[in-house]
Amino acid sequence: MAAMLTVALEEARQGLAEGGIPIGAALFGPDGELLGRGHNRRIQDGDPSMHAETAAFRAAGRLRDYSRMIMVTTLSPCWYCSGLVRQFGIGQVVIGESVTFHGGHDWLAEHGVKVTVLEDAACIALMRDFIACRPELWHEDIGE
């Protein structure tokens, strides 16, 4: 899981370097094959729907069955991204951290998705630093 999280964390850092919100995600096959990766691009693209999980999902392209796929994200998925996981039946979600934001991962677990929360120190530090430096973007992103 650490190698998978590294991919998502690289994406989060790329998003931050672009002036965006540092959330990254990647979609992996059951054998660990990287299918798609992406980062939150809401600011960069002016598109409120371009969350990290959405970007990774789109980058993976069309698949016949998502039930054995693993979505790895640096931050607990919001309700929008949790809905994406449920809509397409993604079977597993690995979360870098839920300290700075507790999204819909409990709901996902209640509906049969295997959820692993790592509480990774690098993911936590990245989001804490961002929230401290850019609270207005953070509050916009989470709808507050």
Side-chain angles (χ1 to χ4, degrees), residues 21-23 40 42 51-53 73-83 93 95-106 108 115-120 123-131 137-144:
I21 298 161
I23 304 169
N40 185 304
R42 293 181 69 252
H51 291 208
E53 296 87 344
T73 179
T74 57
L75 186 65
S76 178
C78 69
W79 288 109
Y80 172 69
C81 295
S82 295
V93 177
I95 298 165
E97 69 106 343
S98 67
V99 172
T100 62
F101 179 77
H102 192 104
H105 67 265
D106 292 333
L108 289 173
V115 174
T116 305
V117 182
L118 302 174
E119 302 303 18
D120 179 79
C123 291
I124 295 167
L126 182 63
M127 284 309 300
R128 281 188 173 153
D129 290 348
F130 174 76
I131 293 166
L137 286 183
W138 173 243
H139 292 293
E140 176 188 332
D141 194 60
I142 62 172
E144 288 185 357

Side-chain angles (χ1 to χ4, degrees), residues 10-77:
E10 288 170 357
E11 286 292 329
R13 290 181 176 132
Q14 181 177 342
L16 181 63
E18 294 171 358
I21 298 161
I23 304 169
L27 188 66
F28 292 89
D31 59 355
E33 176 190 3
L34 176 62
L35 303 173
R37 59 190 289 166
H39 53 275
N40 185 304
R41 296 191 52 83
R42 293 181 69 252
I43 304 304
Q44 299 92 312
D45 295 352
D47 180 351
S49 70
M50 191 45 71
H51 291 208
E53 296 87 344
T54 305
F57 180 77
R58 288 178 179 172
R62 186 172 154 213
L63 302 172
R64 180 168 167 72
D65 178 19
Y66 295 89
S67 64
R68 296 181 47 209
M69 303 307 146
I70 306 162
M71 178 66 77
V72 180
T73 179
T74 57
L75 186 65
S76 178

